[in-house]
Amino acid sequence: MVIWKDHGELFVRYKKNPILTVEDWPYQANSVFNPAAVIVDGKTLLLVRVEDHRGFSHFTIARSNNGVDGWEIDTEPTFAPDPVNYPEEIYGIEDPRITYIDEMGKWAVAYTAFSDSGPLTSLAFTENFRTFERMGPTMPPENKDAAIFPVKFNNRWAMLHRPVSNIAGAKANIWISFSPDMKYWGEHEVLLYAREGGWWDARKIGLSPQPIRVSDGWLIMYHGVRQTTSKASYRLGMALLDPEDPRKVLHRSEGWVFGPRELYERSGDVNDVVFPCGWVLVGDEIRIYYGSADTSVSLATAKVCDVLNYIHQCPEEQCPEDYCRFFEEHKHVTP
């Protein structure tokens, strides 16, 4: 029997967290959080979710030479909802993830539109982060946490996302879908299953930042939501996908690698939340930019070699065999 080793947290917090708060903003807002993150022209660019005093969100860019401080923030919203032309954005836009598509020479911004029917995934493209070309919705409600892979697989684009059912007892799993043109999506299937019982990622999981290519696959980070009698806590885990077929999960962490611990993560508009929508590679370091308690933006880092060493030690199956045997035995049985 293999004894599980508790690795603790993998990422180290920046000592001066949070790095961005609403007090830094050049205009009135309630909170700033859940930023996408990319490197553009040598600078770190964050596309930050900004919530106004109605409760609606938009995106504003913050740039930094070193990715830590000295942030230059756009003086007005960079990417605002357009409910006249895109009615699915009537209650705002949320939680962007950015992927550079080299074949197109554009950045793909996957985000959540908050419609009258609930949240749904939408997509836009930009070449300069000043003007944006909307593609419109990619999935119907309710669906969140979408991100695009930067390359094609068998001449199809791939997207991760998280549909949610209102049926009592239904789990929220991470799905993968494919498209010939980034507008029409199909071939939907579950990629990562939420676990059961007392697991930290039982019942509800969702993608966090965009997938990134590493030496032997696609590294993804996801959030798990654990509901107790008094609260829900958002923590982070990781998985490694096959480099040629992202439907294949090579390794998945059992324990969480990062979770709410500090006061700025424990207390805010939504307590006990660490929620990254973006990460970047800087030399031998992975930097995650995350929303802390849905109130501010914080930073944590880990060495690439430490992350890869950790994920390679994680199981190939999504959960221990004892928990999976029943599903494996019955997955090909039709009712």
Side-chain angles (χ1 to χ4, degrees):
M1 179 179 179
V2 177
I3 303 299
W4 177 66
K5 178 182 178 181
D6 194 333
H7 292 269
E9 290 198 338
L10 193 60
F11 287 80
V12 177
R13 291 164 178 82
Y14 179 56
K15 292 182 179 179
K16 295 184 179 180
N17 273 344
I19 59 171
L20 286 170
T21 70
V22 72
E23 283 74 26
D24 299 307
W25 236 245
Y27 57 87
Q28 288 293 325
N30 171 62
S31 53
V32 297
F33 55 112
N34 297 6
V38 289
I39 303 294
V40 180
D41 298 329
K43 292 186 177 183
T44 300
L45 182 149
L46 302 184
L47 190 60
V48 183
R49 175 179 171 184
V50 182
E51 185 181 273
D52 64 26
H53 285 88
R54 299 172 300 173
F56 298 177
S57 293
H58 58 267
F59 305 146
T60 297
I61 284 177
R63 296 177 176 85
S64 168
N65 287 324
N66 62 12
V68 175
D69 54 23
W71 295 96
E72 300 173 357
I73 304 169
D74 284 1
T75 56
E76 58 185 22
T78 310
F79 186 19
D82 182 8
V84 173
N85 296 302
Y86 298 88
E88 69 275 5
E89 297 179 2
I90 188 171
Y91 298 131
I93 53 177
E94 304 175 353
D95 301 349
R97 281 90 169 172
I98 300 173
T99 303
Y100 184 69
I101 311 297
D102 187 65
E103 180 177 319
M104 302 172 66
K106 297 179 181 179
W107 301 90
V109 183
Y111 61 98
T112 299
F114 198 162
S115 78
D116 195 55
S117 300
L120 68 160
T121 59
S122 288
L123 184 64
F125 292 100
T126 183
E127 296 180 24
N128 51 26
F129 289 98
R130 293 188 298 272
T131 59
F132 296 82
E133 175 191 1
R134 283 171 165 87
M135 295 288 286
T138 55
M139 295 287 169
E142 283 199 5
N143 205 308
K144 285 187 170 185
D145 303 326
I148 305 292
F149 285 83
V151 298
K152 289 180 178 178
F153 302 93
N154 293 326
N155 208 35
R156 302 164 301 161
W157 300 105
M159 177 176 68
L160 301 180
H161 56 102
R162 201 277 311 280
V164 179
S165 171
N166 290 321
I167 298 175
K171 294 197 297 184
N173 303 312
I174 298 175
W175 288 60
I176 187 168
S177 300
F178 295 89
S179 171
D181 56 7
M182 295 226 199
K183 186 170 180 63
Y184 300 102
W185 295 86
E187 301 178 72
H188 316 294
E189 62 180 88
V190 177
L191 177 71
L192 285 178
Y193 288 90
R195 293 181 171 114
E196 300 279 358
W199 286 90
W200 69 274
D201 54 357
R203 308 303 301 170
K204 182 180 180 182
I205 60 174
L207 184 71
S208 287
Q210 74 281 12
I212 57 172
R213 188 70 165 89
V214 291
S215 57
D216 55 351
W218 295 97
L219 189 67
I220 67 169
M221 174 176 278
Y222 70 94
H223 57 271
V225 185
R226 183 176 186 181
Q227 183 70 51
T228 64
T229 54
S230 62
K231 65 181 181 179
S233 292
Y234 282 69
R235 300 184 175 102
L236 304 175
M238 306 190 79
L240 184 68
L241 311 181
D242 186 89
E244 303 301 326
D245 185 355
R247 298 171 300 175
K248 296 179 181 179
V249 179
L250 303 180
H251 299 278
R252 177 179 176 180
S253 57
E254 293 180 281
W256 68 81
V257 299
F258 195 70
R261 189 182 70 193
E262 301 300 323
L263 181 60
Y264 56 85
E265 301 160 347
R266 292 281 192 183
S267 178
D269 279 359
V270 182
N271 296 340
D272 288 299
V273 174
V274 291
F275 199 94
C277 288
W279 54 4
V280 296
L281 294 174
V282 179
D284 63 349
E285 184 176 79
I286 296 179
R287 297 178 177 180
I288 59 171
Y289 293 88
Y290 64 97
S292 29
D294 275 16
T295 301
S296 57
V297 175
S298 296
L299 168 65
T301 64
K303 297 295 185 183
V304 174
C305 59
D306 292 339
V307 171
L308 295 182
N309 182 60
Y310 164 78
I311 197 65
H312 289 146
Q313 295 180 53
C314 293
E316 295 180 11
E317 66 272 7
Q318 292 201 28
C319 54
E321 185 177 354
D322 290 345
Y323 297 93
C324 292
R325 186 179 297 112
F326 175 84
F327 299 101
E328 286 296 316
E329 291 174 352
H330 291 80
K331 67 181 179 180
H332 298 302
V333 177
T334 56

